[in-house]
Amino acid sequence: MTLRILAAWLDDRSGKNAMPPSQSTLTVQERRQQILELIRARHFATLDELTEVLGVSESTVRRDLEALEEEGEAHRIHGGVLYTGSSPKLPHFEMRQPMRWAEKKAIARTAVELIQPGDSILLDGGSTTYEVARLLTGVPLHVVTNSLPVANLFASSPISDLVFLGGSICPRSGVAQGPLADAMIGSLRVRKAILSVAAVNEQGFFNNNVLLVGTERRMMEAADEVIVVADSSKFGHCSLTHLCPLDAVRYVVSDDGLSADWRTKIESAGVRLLVAAVQERQAIPVADLGDGESVDAPVRSG
C-alpha cells in the first residue's frame, strides 16, 4: 500500500465505520518502511495513529519503532514518534553519515548530557552534530543552526523553537556559510554551541572549508560555552584551515578509541574531556574517511 493511500486513509478516518486497511500480508521490513514513509511525510505520528493505519497491535508498533530508533530513523517521544532520518537528500552528507557511525552515536549520547531542557543551542553542520541533533528532537529547546539536515529535524517540532541561519549553501553538506550567515549570527546569543571539526592537533582544531571556519568562529563568539564533538580518528591530523586553539573550547566529546596521550593533551589544555564508550566499533581506515571536502573529514599530517 502506497504512502498516498495510507495518508489519505489517516486523514479521512473520522467516519464511524472506518476500518484500517489490512496489513496482514506485509513483512516486518515492509511494515517498518510504511511507518517511515508516514512519519517522513508528516514528521510526527502518534502511536494510536500508527496502530490504526497499520492494523497491528500496539506492541508490534512499539517493537518497530524501537528498531527504527536504533537505526537512527525515528525518535520516540511522549505521545508519539518523530522522523529523524536524513533529509534533505544530500549525496555527500549521506555518504559520510554511516562512516564511524557507532562512534558518532556514542559521542552524541554523551554530548546530549550537557544539554538541559530550555537551553539555547547552536548546532553546526556535520554528521556527528547531526547525530546529536537526532537525540535532541522532542526536547524543548531554542535551536539555531546553519545545517539544512539539522533544521529539518526540528522544523516540525511543537516544543522547540528553530532559527535557521541564511547564507550561501554548500551543496555537499547543506550548510549555510559566508558573510550573510556571519552577520545573522552576530545578532544572536546562545548558551552552548556544538561544533564538529575535520582534524585536531597540538595547534588546535581545523576544518576543510575556509568559509565555514569563518562562520564557526562567529558561532563560538555567540556562545557562552563551546562543545566540540570529534571521533578519535580526527586527532593527530591537520586540515586546511585553523579554527581555534585547543583551549578556546569548554568541552571536547570523543570516543574511547582516543589515545591516552591525546586524553592528556586535551585535559592539559584546560578543556573538559568526555569520553564515550562505543558498543559496536566499525573499523574504517582514516585514509578512507573522505575526499577532504566534508566538514568533518580528517586529513593526514606528517
Side-chain angles (χ1 to χ4, degrees):
M1 181 169 293
T2 65
L3 170 61
R4 183 183 302 173
I5 296 172
L6 280 170
W9 180 87
L10 184 59
D11 290 337
D12 298 332
R13 69 188 189 283
S14 57
K16 183 181 297 185
N17 297 321
M19 293 294 291
S22 174
Q23 304 290 304
S24 59
T25 61
L26 294 180
T27 66
V28 172
Q29 192 57 41
E30 288 171 338
R31 188 177 64 245
R32 290 175 182 174
Q33 185 59 39
Q34 287 196 355
I35 292 175
L36 276 183
E37 288 176 353
L38 279 170
I39 61 175
R40 183 185 291 118
R42 301 169 66 89
H43 292 283
F44 174 82
T46 67
L47 189 61
D48 288 342
E49 286 173 339
L50 293 175
T51 56
E52 198 173 2
V53 167
L54 295 169
V56 295
S57 68
E58 183 177 306
S59 60
T60 297
V61 173
R62 288 186 185 277
R63 287 194 297 271
D64 289 341
L65 294 179
E66 183 177 356
L68 292 173
E69 189 170 40
E70 179 61 28
E71 294 170 3
E73 298 288 347
H75 181 58
R76 292 172 295 173
I77 63 172
H78 179 71
V81 59
L82 291 164
Y83 175 69
T84 58
S86 57
S87 179
K89 297 295 183 183
L90 299 164
H92 191 82
F93 181 86
E94 292 188 341
M95 178 186 72
R96 294 220 37 88
Q97 192 178 349
M99 293 182 176
R100 299 190 180 274
W101 195 28
E103 287 86 347
K104 293 172 184 177
K105 289 197 296 181
I107 290 169
R109 287 192 297 268
T110 299
V112 297
E113 296 176 3
L114 299 172
I115 309 301
Q116 302 297 320
D119 271 350
S120 55
I121 63 170
L122 201 160
L123 291 157
D124 82 339
S127 52
T128 308
T129 47
Y130 186 80
E131 293 302 322
V132 175
R134 275 178 166 170
L135 296 182
L136 290 175
T137 57
V139 178
L141 296 167
H142 302 278
V143 179
V144 181
T145 185
N146 64 332
S147 166
L148 285 172
V150 170
N152 183 72
L153 292 174
F154 294 98
S156 59
S157 173
I159 58 176
S160 293
D161 297 322
L162 173 67
V163 174
F164 181 73
L165 301 171
S168 300
I169 302 293
C170 174
R172 295 182 300 275
S173 60
V175 169
Q177 57 197 19
L180 292 176
D182 298 351
M184 190 170 179
I185 296 170
S187 64
L188 301 174
R189 191 74 193 174
V190 298
R191 291 190 62 187
K192 293 156 187 170
I194 304 174
L195 309 179
S196 61
V197 296
V200 188
N201 64 25
E202 287 82 356
Q203 297 177 35
F205 303 98
F206 293 78
N207 255 322
N208 297 317
N209 185 310
V210 176
L211 282 177
L212 177 61
V213 165
T215 299
E216 287 182 324
R217 287 174 180 160
R218 303 291 86 76
M219 291 177 173
M220 295 177 68
E221 293 171 0
D224 296 335
E225 295 181 351
V226 177
I227 303 165
V228 167
V229 289
D231 70 73
S232 56
S233 71
K234 309 290 177 62
F235 290 78
H237 303 289
C238 187
S239 193
L240 182 64
T241 305
H242 183 243
L243 173 63
C244 65
L246 292 176
D247 61 4
V249 308
R250 182 70 175 275
Y251 293 94
V252 167
V253 186
S254 189
D255 60 84
D256 56 11
L258 189 65
S259 69
D261 181 50
W262 265 108
R263 296 186 192 202
T264 300
K265 289 178 180 178
I266 295 297
E267 291 173 341
S268 296
V271 179
R272 299 182 184 181
L273 175 65
L274 301 180
V275 177
V278 180
Q279 298 172 356
E280 298 180 3
R281 191 177 302 277
Q282 181 183 10
I284 300 179
V286 172
D288 296 338
L289 281 177
D291 57 7
E293 296 287 331
S294 173
V295 69
D296 53 5
V299 178
R300 285 189 181 276
S301 59

